[in-house]
Amino acid sequence: MSILDQFRLDGQVTVVTGGGRGIGEGIALGMAEAGSDIVLAARRKDEVEAVAEKVRALGRRALAVPCDVMYIEQVEQLAQRAFDEFGKLTCWVSNAGGADDRVPRTFLEMPERQWDFQMNLNLKAVWTGAQAAARIMKDHGGGTIINISSAAANRASPQNGPYAVAKSGVNNLTQTLAVELAEFGIRVNAVAPGPIPTEVFMEFLKLDESEIPELGKRFGIPLGRVGTPEDIAPACVYLASSASSWMTGQVMDIRGGP
Ligand code: NAD
């Protein structure tokens, strides 16, 4: 196989949670362009339907499934629906994540509800997603799982503490899953993006569109700019493809510099 062919995802079926906008949309479209059929899942049906249309325009099959990843039974139904519809499930991208009411708070100010919400959305849903996907993949030839972490993991994150704790947990869970699932031919890796001005990001930091060109400098990013969803998609194509067949349990940092 040629080196470029190793990156192709022809014949794959990929589930992207939180695929209705932002980074998830970018990942879905990038993986579709590389050849994969796509199942898009998010709470809002209209958002995932719109992205599904874009996937179809690229010549791939697409399915839009309303799903709240905070509920394990909905995650299990999502995995089964993808398998039933397309006859296989080869890649699962746990991308849904973010903040509760999008208000920065210190640990002193934080209500218990917000801690629980952040852990359930950003960490527990990665476990439920991996479990639902792996239970199908292990009996059908293996697959890949890609967890969307964050540059916020493994460092202090004032006023956004639980989010960073949860994403650190994602990095650790990725390693354990990789070891436990290797014998089933399932590889598990994570991608940790730096700042990308999506809806949740702009709202959380109370930023205006006009400020985007200056953000690279403000965040001290060596390559001088913040990221885009299109910066993340190629890493997911790589991790889902045979080009990364000897790679598991790793976190890929994509953030414009160390
Ligand atoms: P976004 O708000 O633009 O998109 C999040 C998507 O997840 C949306 O489609 C939303 O509907 C969906 N979603 C949220 N809660 C859900 C739930 N309970 N069930 C199902 N779907 C749900 O956010 P984004 O910036 O594109 O973030 C995507 C991922 O990337 C998140 O895991 C986030 O933590 C991570 N991330 C973002 C940045 C950034 O700077 N934007 C940086 C690092 C990591």
Side-chain angles (χ1 to χ4, degrees):
M1 201 189 293
S2 81
I3 189 79
L4 280 180
D5 283 345
Q6 289 184 45
F7 289 82
R8 295 229 36 108
L9 303 180
D10 300 308
Q12 290 218 29
V13 174
T14 301
V15 172
V16 183
T17 69
R21 59 169 193 254
I23 294 172
E25 176 177 3
I27 292 170
L29 297 179
M31 294 184 74
E33 212 178 314
S36 182
D37 293 329
I38 306 288
V39 178
L40 298 140
R43 287 161 306 173
R44 288 182 46 190
K45 173 97 171 157
D46 56 332
E47 276 194 347
V48 273
E49 271 299 354
V51 180
E53 271 310 310
K54 295 183 192 175
V55 169
R56 292 182 194 115
L58 290 167
R60 311 292 167 223
R61 294 179 297 172
L63 180 67
V65 182
C67 169
D68 187 333
V69 297
M70 307 270 268
Y71 296 92
I72 189 167
E73 61 281 359
Q74 291 191 30
V75 174
E76 288 168 348
Q77 283 163 12
L78 168 64
Q80 196 56 51
R81 178 95 196 273
F83 184 76
D84 291 346
E85 194 83 18
F86 294 122
K88 58 169 96 161
L89 172 56
T90 62
C91 179
W92 182 282
V93 184
S94 270
N95 165 77
D100 179 1
D101 54 5
R102 302 180 182 181
V103 177
R105 286 191 189 87
T106 67
F107 274 105
L108 283 177
E109 298 160 344
M110 189 163 312
E112 182 189 13
R113 175 190 53 75
Q114 196 181 27
W115 171 272
D116 290 343
F117 181 97
Q118 293 268 18
M119 294 304 143
N120 287 337
L121 176 59
N122 294 298
L123 178 55
K124 186 179 169 190
V126 172
W127 160 60
T128 56
Q131 187 180 63
R135 281 179 172 164
I136 292 175
M137 289 174 180
K138 77 180 183 42
D139 294 330
H140 297 89
T144 57
I145 294 170
I146 302 169
N147 300 323
I148 303 305
S149 178
S150 171
N154 305 324
R155 66 179 66 184
S157 199
Q159 300 202 309
N160 199 18
Y163 174 81
V165 170
K167 293 294 190 182
S168 298
V170 169
N171 291 357
N172 184 276
L173 181 60
T174 296
Q175 294 183 49
T176 300
L177 289 170
V179 173
E180 291 187 355
L181 295 174
E183 67 176 295
F184 304 112
I186 301 169
R187 297 186 294 107
V188 188
N189 290 289
V191 175
I196 296 180
T198 56
E199 186 184 306
V200 67
F201 176 90
M202 297 296 283
E203 225 179 286
F204 189 76
L205 294 177
K206 296 184 177 51
L207 293 168
D208 185 80
E209 292 271 318
S210 63
E211 296 173 90
I212 292 177
E214 299 307 315
L215 292 180
K217 196 182 278 179
R218 201 189 301 179
F219 286 109
I221 297 173
L223 288 179
R225 66 168 176 89
V226 286
T228 66
E230 292 72 30
D231 288 318
I232 305 306
C236 294
V237 170
Y238 170 64
L239 292 174
S241 74
S242 65
S244 63
S245 63
W246 203 42
M247 179 171 172
T248 196
Q250 305 303 310
V251 181
M252 279 178 83
D253 289 314
I254 304 182
R255 50 184 158 110

